[in-house]
Amino acid sequence: MKIYEIQALLERYFDKVELVGSSNVTIDGPAKIECAAKGNVSFVANEKYTRFIESTEASLLIVGEQTPTKQYSDSLSFLKVKDPYTAFVFVLQMFSSPRVIASDGVSPSAVIGENVMLGKNVSIGDHVVIGDHCVIGDNTVIGPNTVLMERVVTGRDCMFYPGVICYDGTILGDRVTIHSGTVLGADGFGFAPQPDGGYIKIPQMGIVEIHDDVEIGANNTIDRATMGSTVIEKGVKIDNLVQIAHNCRIGENTVIASQAGISGSVSIGKHCMIGGQAGFAGHLSLPDKTHVAAKAGVSKSLQKSAQTLRGIPAQPIRDQLRQEALLRSLDKMKRKLDALEEEVRQMQKGKGQQAEGKNT
Amino acid sequence: MKIYEIQALLERYFDKVELVGSSNVTIDGPAKIECAAKGNVSFVANEKYTRFIESTEASLLIVGEQTPTKQYSDSLSFLKVKDPYTAFVFVLQMFSSPRVIASDGVSPSAVIGENVMLGKNVSIGDHVVIGDHCVIGDNTVIGPNTVLMERVVTGRDCMFYPGVICYDGTILGDRVTIHSGTVLGADGFGFAPQPDGGYIKIPQMGIVEIHDDVEIGANNTIDRATMGSTVIEKGVKIDNLVQIAHNCRIGENTVIASQAGISGSVSIGKHCMIGGQAGFAGHLSLPDKTHVAAKAGVSKSLQKSAQTLRGIPAQPIRDQLRQEALLRSLDKMKRKLDALEEEVRQMQKGKGQQAEGKNT
Amino acid sequence: MKIYEIQALLERYFDKVELVGSSNVTIDGPAKIECAAKGNVSFVANEKYTRFIESTEASLLIVGEQTPTKQYSDSLSFLKVKDPYTAFVFVLQMFSSPRVIASDGVSPSAVIGENVMLGKNVSIGDHVVIGDHCVIGDNTVIGPNTVLMERVVTGRDCMFYPGVICYDGTILGDRVTIHSGTVLGADGFGFAPQPDGGYIKIPQMGIVEIHDDVEIGANNTIDRATMGSTVIEKGVKIDNLVQIAHNCRIGENTVIASQAGISGSVSIGKHCMIGGQAGFAGHLSLPDKTHVAAKAGVSKSLQKSAQTLRGIPAQPIRDQLRQEALLRSLDKMKRKLDALEEEVRQMQKGKGQQAEGKNT
């Protein structure tokens, strides 16, 4: 691929793409700036990386509009754009070949239930099991050994990687991607305690709803609602090993990092960012644009949007950082307190002697 | 279903079921009180929800014996029982249709090993693999793509959802339910460090034993013992993504929430409740009725039963809450200490001046 | 098996193996010292367990060279070696029968893609799916329902337990063991935020590389690199439910306990030990021999090797333990501060009265 072709691609997304250097050089793939070789394209989106421009062996760099580009060698060209990070993502997309998850059509080893509606151009992989009354949208790809139980409905252009399990009644929108080992719609964790110390199971009669453009990583668990739906709204991105319990609602474009755990009936707003290993008590709600730091333990609802929470139990980050600083200075406080106590003792002793002195 | 039928059902479980309103109304399904529509049955088990009685559109509410029920509209009937929460669970069970996990009999695509004993009325799903010498109890259902390695023994009325993996030798009691993606009996994490910095694997020769009436959620890992058994006792309920290491014993009717991690050789008593993301150091034991709060880090054994632990490291909740409160007041303490120091300095200065004054 | 045969085995590994007692006794299996019966072999590697020697019913104990062995009953023999723990591991290996993961050859229900190279003596289980252009090394065993997507390359003597998923391009060395439910090579969690609040996916074009002698437990997720490789070096051991994000590098012989979470681009040195539920912020690096305590939250890189970190945020364990001790004494500090404040108040009052006294 030539640099002018990459420029043409970026011009589809950016108003202004300025070329510095030659446009006819061949680019054969992307690389990180510090590892790039001749023929590679890389990028600088962060000032910390500008120091690598001098020494990189890349042939093309995508950089910001303000990045100085004049002083470098003739073998290095630049494309200058407003958002070089996103531009580089488009370049990556150009070079990435589509992954084969399942061949076109229905594998002979797949088992398709009764009254299943398959859309146009679907790919159903080896050993897939699709239960009765499922509906699979156009262009959807289902990887090997994935199981959809009864009445699962997917939109168009969905991707199920190998080994996904969808329980009965799960509903997915368009362009949803589910990675391997993820279980959608298992029973919520609901048991009613009995006088004998045992439990009876609360039937989990609801479903899981996944809206458009959601991507869910590997080995996650998203439980069905007791009644109604557990809802993952449009554009949500979920990492790996995340637990989302029954009756949760995760708002549009919220991002959840690995190993976070969301307890039952929690409602998270839109555009939130949840850090890795964060945990949530049940039945609370967080407003839009809340950020939760990694490992935080969120124990109550929040009213004000766009706050950052941190700590166990979680509090606004400013308070938490102040508290952590105080904690680190606790040793100093203790020494100061002991010194002061000693001083006061000396003063009292002095006063006593003074008093005694007066008496004599 | 008519209200009198629901009343008849509840009378099987409760000594007294008092009807207020008409008994001949048709009920078509359950719903949460705040979302209920005409024809729905809902419940109030918690005083916080009594405020919804006025406005609910449900046709029937299951409520406590003491709940006032006279002042509401004619279209709303009540069934009054001692434990409306459990009563509602029975109502949910009435309305929930059994889930199809696998069709009756053995799927032609399942692979059954040698010397396997299948009980009466078993259902073995598509692409299931059952190893040699397994024993499958009556009425047990094994979902698609589940694998039982050699010598797995299940009791009667067990349910394996799709994609469960049981390693060789796992033993399950009656009425055990295992959700998708759970791995029972993988090797315990045991390696002996060697002088060269490497490790040799300690053979994991034990098994996993799951007793009657246990339910285990999705994507859990319960490791086999090094020698002997990792034991999950009768009635235990485990949520999703929980780790139970080799040689643990989890006591009867204990409940473990999502993402908790139990290290090797830990013994947990009966009727305990373990919160989400809680962690346990190895080789410790907790007595009956211990509660462990979410995210707690339990680092030592406990003697006294029925305590609640919280914090990292975990301590009795009263101490931990006191410590958390002190931590929040640390800023105030610091200011007080600084003020006191200043005061003492002033006093000393004053004394000095006084002393000087005397000399003049 | 006779005691002299066990002695002969151990003499292959240890310079000196001293027998105390009879060598012709039959040993039928290993057991823990406190549960051992006649015919069992057990061991004492830790002084805490010497108290069991008196009462054990084992017929043979493997003990340290310095352990006193004269005073016990005739029915108990001893083998004395330098490292009884490792010696017992070899004894366990003698008694453990190899597990059948898949039968020899290729199961008729497995689906093998095009241009796949199968080594000698491979075992490919039921319902396995192997994508195009995969290479499977000699003696490698692939358990039922495991899926290798395209271009996966394994070395020799690898073991895949049932239900493993390897994404395309994953490369494994020799003698690698992967337990059930683990997902290797799923997409790294990379999305570029857009001005409208949505995200575009960053293609994850790299791979996962697993070097020789690595063992990976159940239900782990190890993500592929965005560009380049996520690397698990030789001899690494990983427990269950661990997350290793894109572009991480885990150094030789490092051990990672259950539910730890390693964020993107983290580099961990050789011979490290990572505790359960520990978490790591992205892009940091830890030197060789670092120990990270369970539940720690590592938030920055470390320069000095062989340190132990603990706490959230993590700090050297000495500082953290000091801080935890101070925290526990916070109540005492508060009381001391309040008492001191009162004392100073009294002193000032006294001074005031004194001053007043003077005036009168």
Side-chain angles (χ1 to χ4, degrees):
Chain A
M1 192 172 291
K2 299 291 190 178
I3 288 179
Y4 63 79
E5 290 174 285
I6 294 175
Q7 181 171 13
L9 167 86
L10 296 183
E11 280 168 346
R12 277 197 258 155
Y13 299 103
F14 294 96
D15 289 340
K16 195 178 146 196
V17 182
E18 185 193 346
L19 170 72
V20 178
S22 28
S23 73
N24 200 28
V25 175
T26 300
I27 299 299
D28 50 28
K32 288 194 257 186
I33 188 167
E34 65 271 34
C35 324
K38 197 182 163 212
N40 282 162
V41 50
S42 194
F43 77 111
V44 177
N46 182 318
E47 276 204 11
K48 281 199 295 187
Y49 286 83
T50 46
R51 64 192 166 98
F52 288 108
I53 301 181
E54 186 71 47
S55 58
T56 188
E57 300 195 13
S59 299
L60 173 64
L61 289 181
I62 317 283
V63 298
E65 288 175 339
Q66 309 308 327
T67 307
T69 50
K70 295 297 172 191
Q71 72 276 40
Y72 303 104
S73 87
D74 282 0
S75 61
L76 178 59
S77 298
F78 294 88
L79 287 171
K80 305 176 82 163
V81 295
K82 197 176 170 188
D83 178 355
Y85 182 55
T86 296
F88 190 67
V89 173
F90 293 127
V91 170
L92 286 175
Q93 289 176 345
M94 279 180 94
F95 282 102
S96 73
S97 46
R99 201 176 276 160
V100 178
I101 301 176
S103 307
D104 293 349
V106 179
S107 160
S109 65
V111 176
I112 312 290
E114 293 181 11
N115 293 313
V116 170
M117 292 177 58
L118 297 181
K120 289 176 205 158
N121 196 28
V122 299
S123 305
I124 313 282
D126 301 311
H127 310 309
V128 164
V129 178
I130 298 186
D132 296 348
H133 310 292
C134 285
V135 178
I136 310 298
D138 296 349
N139 309 315
T140 287
V141 177
I142 302 185
N145 291 16
T146 280
V147 177
L148 310 185
M149 290 172 75
E150 296 188 317
R151 285 170 290 107
V152 171
V153 176
T154 84
R156 41 184 304 147
D157 303 299
C158 291
M159 273 198 286
F160 294 79
Y161 278 86
V164 169
I165 310 288
C166 285
Y167 278 49
D168 52 297
T170 304
I171 296 177
L172 304 101
D174 298 333
R175 296 171 305 281
V176 172
T177 297
I178 314 283
H179 287 274
S180 294
T182 283
V183 178
L184 301 180
D187 281 347
F189 195 57
F191 297 89
Q194 296 305 295
D196 68 353
Y199 291 88
I200 59 169
K201 183 174 174 69
I202 301 171
Q204 302 292 309
M205 302 172 67
I207 59 161
V208 168
E209 263 178 59
I210 313 274
H211 295 181
D212 297 344
D213 301 304
V214 167
E215 181 158 344
I216 299 177
N219 281 350
N220 293 289
T221 54
I222 302 182
D223 282 353
R224 69 198 307 113
T226 308
M227 291 179 283
S229 300
T230 302
V231 180
I232 312 296
E233 293 184 1
K234 189 172 176 349
V236 165
K237 311 297 179 193
I238 299 175
D239 199 352
N240 300 330
L241 293 167
V242 169
Q243 151 78 352
I244 297 182
H246 48 178
N247 294 89
C248 285
R249 173 174 281 267
I250 311 296
E252 252 182 62
N253 289 321
T254 281
V255 169
I256 304 179
S258 181
Q259 297 177 323
I262 325 269
S263 297
S265 301
V266 165
S267 172
I268 294 181
K270 301 178 201 300
H271 308 290
C272 294
M273 302 190 78
I274 310 301
Q277 299 183 335
F280 292 75
H283 294 270
L284 56 80
S285 69
L286 293 187
D288 295 350
K289 297 186 186 169
T290 303
H291 287 212
V292 175
K295 279 195 174 287
V298 182
S299 59
K300 53 187 180 196
S301 292
L302 213 64
Q303 307 308 323
K304 214 181 113 201
S305 67
Q307 289 192 82
T308 298
L309 300 178
R310 175 175 162 132
I312 308 171
Q315 53 182 333
I317 191 165
R318 194 196 161 100
D319 300 339
Q320 175 66 18
L321 289 178
R322 171 86 181 137
Q323 184 175 301
E324 289 174 19
L326 284 163
L327 203 47
R328 280 191 303 272
S329 72
L330 204 51
D331 209 355
K332 207 172 134 194
M333 264 178 79
K334 185 175 158 48
R335 284 197 306 271
K336 196 191 261 195
L337 178 60
D338 290 346
L340 201 61
E341 190 185 36
E342 180 55 28
E343 221 163 309
V344 170
R345 189 155 302 142
Q346 290 300 334
M347 285 171 69
Q348 287 184 310
K349 214 166 152 190
K351 217 173 78 178
Q353 289 174 332
Q354 217 181 350
E356 276 170 38
K358 280 193 184 170
N359 288 340
T360 43
Chain B
M1 190 171 292
K2 298 290 188 179
I3 287 179
Y4 61 79
E5 292 174 284
I6 294 175
Q7 182 171 13
L9 167 85
L10 296 183
E11 281 167 346
R12 277 196 259 153
Y13 300 103
F14 295 95
D15 289 340
K16 193 177 147 198
V17 182
E18 184 193 347
L19 170 72
V20 179
S22 28
S23 74
N24 199 27
V25 175
T26 300
I27 299 298
D28 51 26
K32 288 193 259 185
I33 189 167
E34 64 273 34
C35 324
K38 195 179 166 219
N40 283 162
V41 48
S42 194
F43 76 111
V44 177
N46 183 319
E47 276 204 11
K48 280 198 298 186
Y49 287 83
T50 45
R51 64 192 166 98
F52 289 108
I53 301 180
E54 185 72 47
S55 59
T56 189
E57 302 196 11
S59 299
L60 174 63
L61 289 181
I62 317 284
V63 299
E65 290 177 336
Q66 311 308 328
T67 307
T69 51
K70 297 295 172 195
Q71 71 276 42
Y72 303 104
S73 86
D74 282 358
S75 62
L76 179 58
S77 297
F78 293 89
L79 289 170
K80 305 175 84 164
V81 294
K82 196 176 173 189
D83 179 354
Y85 182 56
T86 296
F88 191 65
V89 174
F90 294 125
V91 171
L92 285 176
Q93 288 176 345
M94 279 179 93
F95 281 102
S96 74
S97 46
R99 201 177 276 158
V100 177
I101 302 177
S103 307
D104 292 350
V106 179
S107 159
S109 65
V111 177
I112 312 292
E114 293 179 11
N115 294 311
V116 168
M117 292 177 57
L118 296 181
K120 289 176 207 158
N121 196 27
V122 299
S123 305
I124 313 282
D126 302 309
H127 311 310
V128 164
V129 178
I130 298 186
D132 295 348
H133 310 290
C134 284
V135 178
I136 309 298
D138 295 351
N139 309 317
T140 287
V141 178
I142 302 184
N145 291 17
T146 280
V147 177
L148 310 186
M149 291 171 73
E150 296 188 316
R151 287 170 288 109
V152 172
V153 176
T154 85
R156 43 183 302 145
D157 302 301
C158 291
M159 274 199 283
F160 293 80
Y161 278 86
V164 169
I165 311 287
C166 285
Y167 278 49
D168 51 296
T170 303
I171 296 177
L172 302 102
D174 297 335
R175 297 171 304 281
V176 172
T177 297
I178 315 283
H179 286 274
S180 294
T182 283
V183 178
L184 301 180
D187 282 347
F189 195 57
F191 297 89
Q194 296 305 293
D196 68 351
Y199 291 87
I200 60 169
K201 181 174 175 72
I202 301 171
Q204 301 293 309
M205 301 170 67
I207 60 160
V208 168
E209 262 179 58
I210 312 273
H211 295 181
D212 296 346
D213 301 305
V214 168
E215 180 157 347
I216 300 178
N219 281 351
N220 293 288
T221 54
I222 303 183
D223 282 352
R224 70 199 304 112
T226 309
M227 292 179 284
S229 299
T230 302
V231 180
I232 310 296
E233 292 184 3
K234 188 171 174 355
V236 166
K237 311 298 179 192
I238 299 175
D239 198 352
N240 300 330
L241 293 168
V242 168
Q243 151 78 353
I244 297 182
H246 48 179
N247 293 89
C248 285
R249 173 174 282 267
I250 310 296
E252 254 183 61
N253 288 321
T254 281
V255 169
I256 304 178
S258 181
Q259 297 178 324
I262 325 271
S263 297
S265 300
V266 165
S267 173
I268 295 181
K270 301 180 201 300
H271 307 291
C272 294
M273 302 191 77
I274 311 300
Q277 300 184 336
F280 293 74
H283 295 269
L284 56 79
S285 69
L286 293 187
D288 294 351
K289 296 187 187 167
T290 304
H291 286 210
V292 175
K295 277 195 175 287
V298 182
S299 59
K300 53 188 182 197
S301 292
L302 215 63
Q303 307 308 324
K304 213 180 113 200
S305 69
Q307 289 191 82
T308 298
L309 300 178
R310 175 175 161 129
I312 311 171
Q315 53 183 331
I317 191 165
R318 195 195 159 100
D319 301 339
Q320 176 66 19
L321 288 178
R322 171 84 181 137
Q323 184 175 300
E324 289 174 18
L326 282 163
L327 203 48
R328 280 191 303 271
S329 71
L330 205 49
D331 209 356
K332 206 171 135 194
M333 263 178 80
K334 186 176 157 46
R335 283 196 307 269
K336 195 192 261 196
L337 177 59
D338 291 345
L340 202 60
E341 191 185 37
E342 180 56 27
E343 221 163 309
V344 170
R345 190 154 300 142
Q346 291 298 336
M347 285 170 69
Q348 286 183 309
K349 215 166 150 190
K351 217 172 79 178
Q353 289 174 336
Q354 214 180 350
E356 276 170 37
K358 281 192 182 170
N359 288 337
T360 43
Chain C
M1 190 172 294
K2 299 290 187 177
I3 288 179
Y4 62 79
E5 292 174 286
I6 294 175
Q7 182 172 11
L9 167 85
L10 296 183
E11 280 168 345
R12 278 197 257 153
Y13 299 104
F14 294 95
D15 290 339
K16 196 178 146 198
V17 182
E18 187 193 345
L19 170 72
V20 178
S22 30
S23 74
N24 199 29
V25 176
T26 300
I27 299 299
D28 52 25
K32 289 194 257 186
I33 188 167
E34 64 272 33
C35 323
K38 196 181 164 215
N40 282 162
V41 49
S42 195
F43 76 111
V44 176
N46 183 317
E47 276 202 13
K48 281 198 296 186
Y49 286 83
T50 46
R51 64 189 168 100
F52 289 110
I53 301 181
E54 187 71 49
S55 58
T56 188
E57 302 195 13
S59 299
L60 173 65
L61 289 181
I62 317 282
V63 298
E65 289 175 339
Q66 310 307 328
T67 306
T69 51
K70 297 295 170 194
Q71 70 276 40
Y72 303 104
S73 87
D74 282 358
S75 62
L76 179 58
S77 298
F78 293 88
L79 288 171
K80 305 175 80 164
V81 294
K82 198 176 167 188
D83 178 356
Y85 182 55
T86 296
F88 191 66
V89 173
F90 293 126
V91 171
L92 286 175
Q93 288 176 348
M94 278 178 95
F95 282 100
S96 73
S97 46
R99 200 176 278 158
V100 177
I101 302 177
S103 308
D104 292 349
V106 178
S107 160
S109 65
V111 176
I112 312 290
E114 294 180 10
N115 294 311
V116 169
M117 292 176 59
L118 296 181
K120 290 176 204 157
N121 196 28
V122 299
S123 304
I124 312 282
D126 301 310
H127 310 311
V128 165
V129 178
I130 298 186
D132 297 347
H133 311 291
C134 285
V135 178
I136 309 299
D138 295 351
N139 309 316
T140 287
V141 177
I142 302 184
N145 290 17
T146 281
V147 177
L148 311 186
M149 292 171 73
E150 297 188 315
R151 285 170 289 108
V152 171
V153 177
T154 84
R156 40 183 305 145
D157 301 300
C158 290
M159 275 199 285
F160 293 79
Y161 278 87
V164 170
I165 312 287
C166 286
Y167 278 50
D168 52 298
T170 303
I171 296 176
L172 303 102
D174 297 334
R175 298 172 302 281
V176 171
T177 297
I178 313 282
H179 286 275
S180 294
T182 283
V183 178
L184 301 180
D187 282 348
F189 195 57
F191 297 89
Q194 296 304 294
D196 68 351
Y199 291 87
I200 59 170
K201 182 175 175 67
I202 301 172
Q204 301 292 311
M205 301 171 67
I207 60 162
V208 168
E209 262 177 60
I210 313 275
H211 295 181
D212 296 347
D213 300 304
V214 167
E215 182 157 344
I216 300 178
N219 280 351
N220 293 289
T221 55
I222 303 183
D223 282 352
R224 69 199 305 113
T226 309
M227 292 180 283
S229 300
T230 302
V231 180
I232 311 296
E233 293 183 2
K234 189 171 176 346
V236 166
K237 311 297 179 193
I238 300 175
D239 199 349
N240 300 331
L241 292 167
V242 169
Q243 150 78 352
I244 297 182
H246 48 178
N247 294 89
C248 285
R249 173 175 282 266
I250 311 296
E252 254 182 62
N253 288 321
T254 280
V255 169
I256 304 179
S258 181
Q259 296 179 324
I262 325 271
S263 296
S265 301
V266 165
S267 174
I268 294 181
K270 302 179 201 301
H271 307 291
C272 294
M273 301 191 78
I274 310 301
Q277 297 184 336
F280 293 75
H283 295 269
L284 56 81
S285 69
L286 292 187
D288 294 351
K289 298 185 185 169
T290 303
H291 287 211
V292 175
K295 277 196 175 287
V298 182
S299 59
K300 54 187 180 196
S301 293
L302 213 63
Q303 307 308 323
K304 214 180 113 203
S305 67
Q307 290 191 81
T308 298
L309 300 178
R310 176 174 160 131
I312 309 172
Q315 53 182 334
I317 190 167
R318 196 196 159 99
D319 300 340
Q320 176 65 20
L321 289 178
R322 171 85 182 136
Q323 185 174 299
E324 288 173 19
L326 283 163
L327 203 48
R328 282 192 301 272
S329 72
L330 206 49
D331 210 355
K332 206 171 136 196
M333 264 178 79
K334 186 177 157 46
R335 284 197 305 270
K336 195 192 261 196
L337 178 60
D338 290 346
L340 201 61
E341 191 185 35
E342 179 56 28
E343 221 163 309
V344 171
R345 190 155 300 142
Q346 291 299 337
M347 284 170 70
Q348 287 184 312
K349 216 166 150 190
K351 219 174 76 179
Q353 290 174 328
Q354 216 183 348
E356 275 171 40
K358 280 191 186 168
N359 288 340
T360 42

